[in-house]
Amino acid sequence: MPTPTKGPRLGGGPAHERLILANLATQLFEHRSITTTQAKARRLRPFAERLITFAKRGDLASRRRVMTVVRDKTVVHELFTDIAPQMSEREGGYTRTTKIGPRKGDNAPMVVIELVTEAVSARQDVVREASAATGRASRDAARASAAGAADVPVEQVDEQDAAALSQARAEDDATQAQDAAGRADTEAAGDATADAEQAAGDAQTLAPGSQDAADADAAADAADEVTTAAEDAEKDARG
């Protein structure tokens, strides 16, 4: 005889267990609440909720599937037309169990298992909306981080993220261009200063060795002009 997968077997065999669960589910759907032992309630709860899931589908195949377990057509009709619509807003947890006092005689723990037919509370709606908002925030954060990566094409992000990425790239290009222009101006000013100093030195070297005083004066004037031109060039480069 095969052994059950979860917990001890109810009844004397597998067929007897299926009959017990079918009768308990039928009584639960008919009366909305029954009192039974804790062991039977643990096995009945997933069994009955699976039948309610079939009833929420509402098609013919699901109705035939439920009728292989619940033999009472009246109870099946009530399950599909009355109980299932009340569970439409719920995604699970169609039943609840409440512990009561032990049974007299064998002291077995007893519970009341009932259908949760109340409407979904406003608190659950708030929790659902908060979860959805958290999911949207996570997706937005992931999209923003992807847009900030340099190797992500613009076509793979949203239009707003693509615009922000393009603006950031344009600012980076402008900064690099300004840095390059500044380096070029500095190098030009340095070259002009070096040329001016070299020309002034050459003029001062040639001036004492010249035989004619006029040539020395002309060389000194030329050196001054070159120095002035170099200073002007350096000022322009810095401006």
Side-chain angles (χ1 to χ4, degrees):
M1 182 179 296
T3 57
T5 57
K6 289 194 245 181
R9 179 180 292 115
L10 302 177
H16 190 194
E17 182 182 271
R18 288 193 293 269
L19 288 175
I20 292 175
L21 292 177
N23 290 333
L24 289 174
T26 302
Q27 295 298 317
L28 178 62
F29 296 148
E30 182 178 359
H31 301 287
R32 304 292 197 278
S33 175
I34 59 174
T35 302
T36 183
T37 61
Q38 187 175 359
K40 290 181 180 179
R42 287 178 178 176
R43 302 297 299 273
L44 174 62
R45 190 169 186 178
F47 185 82
E49 290 187 358
R50 189 163 182 264
L51 296 178
I52 295 175
T53 302
F54 281 118
K56 288 176 64 176
R57 297 178 184 175
D59 55 354
L60 181 60
S62 299
R63 184 180 291 268
R64 288 176 176 174
R65 185 70 176 270
V66 173
M67 289 186 67
T68 59
V69 179
V70 181
R71 300 292 183 176
D72 193 343
K73 294 183 179 180
T74 304
V75 176
V76 173
H77 177 74
E78 188 175 359
L79 174 63
F80 275 79
T81 59
D82 189 13
I83 298 176
Q86 296 178 4
M87 306 293 183
S88 60
E89 297 295 331
R90 295 187 177 273
E91 298 179 356
Y94 308 127
T95 60
R96 73 163 64 97
T97 57
T98 305
K99 293 182 179 180
I100 57 177
R103 185 168 56 187
K104 294 181 180 181
D106 58 355
N107 201 30
M110 303 294 290
V111 298
V112 174
I113 182 170
E114 58 184 345
L115 298 177
V116 183
T117 57
E118 297 87 356
V120 179
S121 63
R123 181 178 180 181
Q124 293 177 349
D125 293 337
V126 171
V127 171
R128 187 181 297 109
E129 292 178 359
S131 301
T134 304
R136 289 193 298 269
S138 300
R139 289 191 296 270
D140 294 340
R143 190 179 298 112
S145 61
D151 56 346
V152 177
V154 178
E155 293 78 11
Q156 295 182 1
V157 296
D158 293 342
E159 295 181 356
Q160 184 177 0
D161 297 333
L165 178 60
S166 300
Q167 183 178 0
R169 288 178 177 175
E171 292 178 355
D172 292 339
D173 295 339
T175 303
Q176 293 177 1
Q178 291 178 359
D179 293 340
R183 288 194 298 270
D185 294 339
T186 303
E187 292 176 358
D191 293 339
T193 304
D195 293 339
E197 291 178 356
Q198 184 177 0
D202 294 340
Q204 292 177 1
T205 302
L206 293 174
S210 177
Q211 299 297 326
D212 191 6
D215 293 338
D217 294 337
D221 294 338
D224 293 337
E225 291 178 358
V226 172
T227 303
T228 304
E231 291 178 355
D232 295 337
E234 185 176 1
K235 290 180 180 179
D236 295 336
R238 290 179 180 178

